[in-house]
Amino acid sequence: QVRLVNSGGSLVQPGGSLRLSCAASGSIVSISNMDWYRQAPGKERELVASVSSDGQTNYTDSVKGRFAISRDRARNTLYLQMNDLKPEDTAVYSCKQRWRGYDFWGQGTQVTVSS
């Protein structure tokens, strides 16, 4: 049974930083393809960052140089470090894992960037 629990979202001012977490059980983060998505009200879900099982990372252009995806093998947790946050980053952020042929999603965590 796979469960992904997202946490770390909050209200933050422009230019601030947050670190989001995706804690997994019933699966292994370090050998999986892992993604962070975000969705703002009225907009389509957007792939923000990904890391492959061999450690390759990719980012959407709007967050390159500001966001970093990483994994902690000991804690079986995926992270998204977000720096220099902008109002357009406001969204619900969710992690996704491909595990044994199926996609599993975290419940999402709200990030609001506002002055």
Side-chain angles (χ1 to χ4, degrees), residues 18 29 45 58 62 93:
L18 288 172
V29 166
R45 180 170 287 154
N58 286 284
S62 64
Y93 286 72

Side-chain angles (χ1 to χ4, degrees), residues 10-87:
S10 69
L11 173 65
V12 64
Q13 293 186 0
S17 297
L18 288 172
R19 188 177 72 166
L20 307 183
S21 298
C22 173
S25 60
S27 62
I28 304 175
V29 166
S30 64
I31 61 171
S32 303
N33 293 328
M34 306 290 299
D35 301 320
W36 283 102
Y37 284 80
R38 66 186 180 189
Q39 187 168 28
K43 299 185 67 176
E44 293 185 350
R45 180 170 287 154
E46 176 188 26
L47 177 62
V48 176
S50 61
V51 58
S52 67
S53 59
D54 65 0
Q56 289 184 297
T57 59
N58 286 284
Y59 303 90
T60 192
D61 286 344
S62 64
V63 309
K64 287 180 179 177
R66 300 189 297 121
F67 290 11
I69 189 170
S70 63
R71 299 174 291 192
D72 186 322
R73 289 172 175 80
R75 296 185 177 186
N76 201 30
T77 298
L78 177 76
Y79 298 100
L80 183 67
Q81 178 67 46
M82 305 187 296
N83 299 321
D84 191 24
L85 284 161
K86 305 177 184 300

Side-chain angles (χ1 to χ4, degrees), residues 2-4 95-100 102-106:
V2 176
R3 186 182 180 213
L4 304 176
C95 65
K96 187 185 77 168
Q97 179 178 40
R98 186 74 169 182
W99 181 253
R100 295 181 175 178
Y102 297 91
D103 289 333
F104 297 90
W105 289 85

